[in-house]
Amino acid sequence: GPRTWVHWSLADDSHLRIGGDMLGSVGNIRSISEGSTPTVFAGRRQIRVDLPFVADAAARNAGGTFAELRVRPTEWHALELGARGDVWLVDGEPEMAADPRVRAIFYPAEAWELHAAAGLAHQPAVFLFPLPGLTEVALDRGLQEAVQSDAGFAVELPAALWLEVQGFVHHYDDLLLPELYAPEEGASAPVVDAWSYGAEA
């Protein structure tokens, strides 16, 4: 999985960063629970721990390029622009995506910072358990898409402390959530739309 980038420092807290990365993995994944009966717990069928979305995919590769530009036209505000292009290849079948993002930062006072951001992100569905070697999934369901946004503030406190609070709202399309229900034999997990929202400090 090589990665490379070039960074240019521009005038007055401005910079440009351009780079690319690639991840490749080869090897057969075999499900050993083929034909097994799902566990029943509390009267409900549980999900079989098999790999219907990665089995028989001998090669799983991904690569992308990105560019990030930060400019600060005035003392009281800055703008960060970014774009990323990715391609995923599973057994020679490609999926491509382009993801732009923007972040605006305002400095109303010396110790204060306000910011708002929005962006688009794509990725294949991943296995519901984060197990090593199973983070790449076949592309038969296409890519999941997320529209992400956040806004918040930060303030510099005494004793070299820094407080940051922000809220976020994300919307997801074509989200694969096999844990939503326990399917019957041969049934496929649903693809859904979903919202995620909250705050953090």
Side-chain angles (χ1 to χ4, degrees):
R3 246 184 334 184
T4 184
W5 66 88
V6 180
H7 183 100
W8 289 275
S9 294
L10 307 176
D12 292 335
D13 196 28
S14 299
H15 63 260
L16 174 64
R17 188 168 181 252
I18 298 175
D21 51 66
M22 188 181 81
L23 178 66
S25 62
V26 177
N28 292 316
I29 299 176
R30 184 183 305 167
S31 174
I32 62 174
S33 60
E34 189 72 27
S36 62
T37 303
T39 304
V40 176
F41 180 76
R44 299 187 60 187
R45 294 162 55 90
Q46 303 300 301
I47 297 174
R48 287 196 323 173
V49 183
D50 60 7
L51 310 173
F53 305 112
V54 296
D56 301 324
R60 298 162 299 280
N61 306 292
T65 58
F66 65 87
E68 301 171 350
L69 173 65
R70 175 186 169 92
V71 294
R72 189 165 180 179
T74 68
E75 288 294 320
W76 60 270
H77 82 287
L79 191 64
E80 296 178 354
L81 303 173
R84 180 177 177 90
D86 285 286
V87 59
W88 291 266
L89 287 168
V90 176
D91 276 352
E93 295 295 326
E95 284 278 358
M96 292 178 286
D99 298 333
R101 67 178 180 86
V102 60
R103 187 172 193 254
I105 308 166
F106 303 92
Y107 305 96
E110 184 176 351
W112 283 83
E113 175 186 301
L114 307 176
H115 66 267
L120 186 66
H122 291 85
Q123 73 173 48
V126 296
F127 191 54
L128 69 159
F129 301 117
L131 300 176
L134 301 182
T135 56
E136 314 91 359
V137 181
L139 298 172
D140 54 332
R141 299 296 189 97
L143 297 175
Q144 301 174 133
E145 180 181 278
V147 179
Q148 303 174 332
S149 64
D150 72 78
F153 70 88
V155 58
E156 186 176 355
L157 302 175
L161 297 176
W162 180 261
L163 172 66
E164 183 170 348
V165 177
Q166 62 183 3
F168 62 87
V169 178
H170 299 172
H171 181 263
Y172 301 91
D173 286 319
D174 297 328
L175 193 64
L176 180 62
L177 294 178
E179 64 268 31
L180 281 180
Y181 82 133
E184 298 293 326
E185 293 296 324
S188 59
V191 173
V192 300
D193 294 344
W195 289 90
S196 173
Y197 50 89
E200 60 186 18

